[in-house]
Amino acid sequence: MTTYFNQRTGDRVEVPGRSARLDSLDNWAIVEGSETPTIVNDGVLSRPTLTAPGVADPSADVPATNEELREENPAGVDEGPGQELTTTDDGIPKVPGRSASRSAWQAYARLVETDPERQSDIEGMTRDQLVDRYGSGGEG
């Protein structure tokens, strides 16, 4: 029996005799017994997943929904500068004015957006895009 070790993933494979295919690949090495060579970080293959922005990663934790975020932060507003939203008498956030800061529009969008996929877009949107999407009823 010959034991091969993948130096990038840490996989071990035992085959009867030698494997011409594994011998020809530079990331597989023959090991003796329980020997464990060092795993080489190649910068790409050692990463568990590669996803593009806006693409759901099925191996990642389920993203928090707006409802969950509201439970964590009942005020609904981050304490950073420029993120204070005004509310109506019944507690509903008012739409920021068209000239309000991007962070104010992001805070408002996080409160009103219920679609998890669209929520993930909020951070990458410009102020004008946020105004176009969430600005119905906004003041100039």
Side-chain angles (χ1 to χ4, degrees):
M1 248 337 154
T2 304
T3 304
Y4 288 90
F5 180 81
N6 187 316
Q7 296 171 341
R8 293 189 185 129
T9 65
D11 293 335
R12 292 178 88 84
V13 176
E14 288 189 11
V15 293
R18 300 275 304 247
S19 168
R21 181 173 184 179
L22 294 179
D23 284 338
S24 68
L25 298 172
D26 66 344
N27 59 317
W28 288 92
I30 297 174
V31 294
E32 299 295 328
S34 62
E35 173 189 356
T36 303
T38 305
I39 295 176
V40 178
N41 180 355
D42 68 348
V44 177
L45 295 178
S46 59
R47 290 185 241 165
T49 59
L50 295 174
T51 57
V55 175
D57 179 4
S59 67
D61 292 335
V62 177
T65 63
N66 270 350
E67 195 60 42
E68 292 167 336
L69 293 173
R70 285 186 198 107
E71 289 171 8
E72 290 175 18
N73 184 7
V77 180
D78 291 337
E79 294 182 9
Q83 296 210 358
E84 187 171 326
L85 294 177
T86 57
T87 58
T88 61
D89 292 337
D90 54 359
I92 300 171
K94 287 184 182 177
V95 178
R98 290 189 68 80
S99 60
S101 69
R102 177 175 175 247
S103 60
W105 276 100
Q106 286 175 326
Y108 174 75
R110 284 187 209 100
L111 289 172
V112 298
E113 184 59 67
T114 57
D115 180 7
E117 191 167 318
R118 288 177 68 145
Q119 284 178 20
S120 66
D121 296 339
I122 291 172
E123 291 304 315
M125 295 176 73
T126 65
R127 186 189 67 180
D128 291 336
Q129 291 171 326
L130 291 163
V131 170
D132 289 345
R133 185 181 285 181
Y134 302 104
S136 61
E139 303 161 6

